[in-house]
Amino acid sequence: MKVLVTGAAGFLGSNLCDLLIAEGHEVIGMDNFITGSADNLAHLSGKEKFSFIRHDVSNFIFVPGKIDAVMHFASPASPNPNSPYGYLNLPIQTLKAGALGTHNTLGVARAQKARFILASTSEIYGDPLEHPQTEAYWGHVDPIGPRSVYDEAKRFAEALTMAYHRFHGVDTRICRIFNTYGPRMHLDDGRVVPNFLQQALQNQPLTVYGDGSQTRSFCYVDDLIDGIYRLLLSDEHEPVNIGNPVETTILKFAETINTLTGNSAGIVYMEEARGSGDPQRRRPDISRAREILGWEPKISLDEGVKKTIPFFKKKMGLE
Ligand code: NAD
Ligand code: UDP
């Protein structure tokens, strides 16, 4: 296939480009570098199967030649209010990437009769009242809260994707991605994995927000990309959760990171660092992914963190 990947210079997009090329496909990467980095694609430069277009997906997209698949991953993705990469500091761009960017990429898929996959998110469930989250859950989202710029953009993106499928017959898929970590994630986007790993590798205490009883379920990037690729090859049009169902409290996660890195500086608690919008529990129900895609994550949290540490050490100049 010839595949257009938007958000190709980002954490997930660049890992996706690698898998697609390894599987023998041709990739056109598209990105405007608003949160991504050319470094993530440097190793693909000059490869016959890879080309790149610098472009903002909120504007009309022109791609030369025939395209077989469109994978729409372009969007800021970090909820951290202090990060320049965070969607709270890029609110309009985030709404536009989810709304106009999804419209334009669906337009490409329709014109090209290409299959389409939307990178959606667990955030469409908001601060969930049902646990774990199945795809049938409609979510608990404040439409005007600070996080709404991301959550509602993705909810609109899902609605638009289903409308193009139902009304125009576009061959669409929706992947609801849960917290993912691994090489090429941003070091300074303020999410918990980069924060904790950097603090631990500098022998500093880990900053646990609140009392650390909130939970997340962390998926290693290779597992996630494998699930997304299976969804792309499938004929499933309804949303599918892709994530790791092993749930951990943030406090337990901090202790794990300290153990795996040999950090003896412990933990500091920071009250109210995220405010009331911080989801208290998050865990995917992946029954549909298991059933439809024959997929489940294979890499444990300990194993995934160990695979991620060398990337952080290199980026931090520690080796
Ligand atoms: P990222 O910030 O590393 O990558 C996003 C990429 O999109 C960046 O390279 C950025 O420059 C690009 N981009 C943003 N707006 C653009 C625009 N208007 N035009 C062109 N390019 C644009 O983030 P990520 O973690 O790789 O996330 C990728 C996708 O996966 C996003 O859609 C995100 O919502 C979704 N997602 C990620 C996670 C996660 O845990 N990482 C979880 C749920 C959903
Ligand atoms: N968190 C934390 N310390 C940090 C960064 C994050 O305790 O230094 C917590 C945060 O409050 C949230 C969880 O870790 O409950 C996951 O946050 P992240 O920013 O990774 O993404 P989210 O899952 O909220 O989208």
Side-chain angles (χ1 to χ4, degrees), residues 77-80 87 122-123 147 150 179 189-196 199 206-210 212 214-216 218 250-251 253 270 273-274 277-280 282:
S78 167
N80 189 287
Y87 55 70
S122 54
E123 291 267 322
R147 280 187 179 234
Y150 183 67
N179 294 62
D189 79 358
R191 275 183 272 187
V192 69
V193 176
N195 275 13
F196 282 5
Q199 289 158 351
L206 308 196
T207 52
V208 168
Y209 300 164
Q214 71 272 36
T215 69
R216 293 294 185 273
F218 297 104
I250 293 301
L251 181 57
F253 182 54
M270 297 177 69
R274 278 285 170 86
D278 196 9
Q280 280 309 295
R282 192 184 285 151

Side-chain angles (χ1 to χ4, degrees), residues 6-13 30-37 55-58 72-77 93 97 119-122 150 154 177-181 184 186 191:
T6 74
F11 164 45
L12 298 185
M30 180 171 284
D31 207 292
N32 67 351
F33 299 119
I34 190 171
T35 62
S37 162
H55 182 70
D56 180 339
V57 295
S58 308
H72 180 35
F73 278 65
S75 170
Q93 293 94 327
S120 185
T121 168
S122 54
Y150 183 67
K154 291 287 186 181
I177 301 169
F178 283 65
N179 294 62
T180 304
Y181 68 99
R184 303 210 195 117
H186 295 280
R191 275 183 272 187

Side-chain angles (χ1 to χ4, degrees), residues 75-153:
S75 170
S78 167
N80 189 287
N82 302 317
S83 163
Y85 300 124
Y87 55 70
L88 297 173
N89 292 313
L90 301 166
I92 316 293
Q93 293 94 327
T94 303
L95 282 157
K96 285 171 80 174
L100 304 177
T102 306
H103 192 205
N104 290 328
T105 48
L106 279 164
V108 173
R110 183 183 177 209
Q112 295 265 359
K113 296 193 173 27
R115 52 182 67 203
F116 177 88
I117 185 164
L118 171 71
S120 185
T121 168
S122 54
E123 291 267 322
I124 64 109
Y125 300 122
D127 190 357
L129 301 177
E130 278 184 21
H131 203 74
Q133 291 81 54
T134 68
E135 292 87 346
Y137 179 49
W138 289 0
H140 179 229
V141 175
D142 176 353
I144 56 160
R147 280 187 179 234
S148 66
V149 298
Y150 183 67
D151 302 2
E152 295 292 12

Side-chain angles (χ1 to χ4, degrees), residues 100-316:
L100 304 177
T102 306
H103 192 205
N104 290 328
T105 48
L106 279 164
V108 173
R110 183 183 177 209
Q112 295 265 359
K113 296 193 173 27
R115 52 182 67 203
F116 177 88
I117 185 164
L118 171 71
S120 185
T121 168
S122 54
E123 291 267 322
I124 64 109
Y125 300 122
D127 190 357
L129 301 177
E130 278 184 21
H131 203 74
Q133 291 81 54
T134 68
E135 292 87 346
Y137 179 49
W138 289 0
H140 179 229
V141 175
D142 176 353
I144 56 160
R147 280 187 179 234
S148 66
V149 298
Y150 183 67
D151 302 2
E152 295 292 12
K154 291 287 186 181
R155 288 169 71 97
F156 176 84
E158 288 201 6
L160 193 61
T161 301
M162 290 310 292
Y164 265 68
H165 174 63
R166 293 186 182 120
F167 191 71
H168 289 313
V170 177
D171 187 9
T172 61
R173 289 143 194 80
I174 296 172
C175 175
R176 291 186 179 154
I177 301 169
F178 283 65
N179 294 62
T180 304
Y181 68 99
R184 303 210 195 117
M185 67 187 316
H186 295 280
L187 264 64
D188 51 356
D189 79 358
R191 275 183 272 187
V192 69
V193 176
N195 275 13
F196 282 5
L197 273 177
Q198 286 180 99
Q199 289 158 351
L201 292 171
Q202 290 168 321
N203 300 309
Q204 292 169 0
L206 308 196
T207 52
V208 168
Y209 300 164
D211 63 4
S213 64
Q214 71 272 36
T215 69
R216 293 294 185 273
S217 309
F218 297 104
C219 188
Y220 186 67
V221 64
D222 290 359
D223 276 336
L224 183 95
I225 298 296
D226 174 39
I228 290 170
Y229 183 60
R230 286 174 190 237
L231 182 58
L232 177 74
L233 299 185
S234 81
D235 290 321
E236 180 56 42
H237 302 300
E238 300 283 322
V240 180
N241 288 338
I242 303 280
N244 194 318
V246 178
E247 184 179 7
T248 172
T249 65
I250 293 301
L251 181 57
K252 174 90 191 340
F253 182 54
E255 289 163 359
T256 303
I257 297 272
N258 277 340
T259 305
L260 293 175
T261 53
N263 181 27
S264 55
I267 284 163
V268 285
Y269 292 93
M270 297 177 69
E271 291 306 322
E272 304 297 328
R274 278 285 170 86
S276 60
D278 196 9
Q280 280 309 295
R281 294 186 77 182
R282 192 184 285 151
R283 175 159 79 95
D285 180 316
I286 60 163
S287 311
R288 294 191 79 238
R290 281 197 176 104
E291 200 177 302
I292 297 165
L293 310 176
W295 175 86
E296 64 182 0
K298 297 189 178 71
I299 298 164
S300 70
L301 190 58
D302 281 19
E303 222 181 314
V305 169
K306 283 185 200 154
K307 280 168 169 283
T308 308
I309 289 172
F311 166 79
F312 273 79
K313 282 192 171 163
K314 193 165 172 218
K315 281 276 177 186
M316 291 166 72

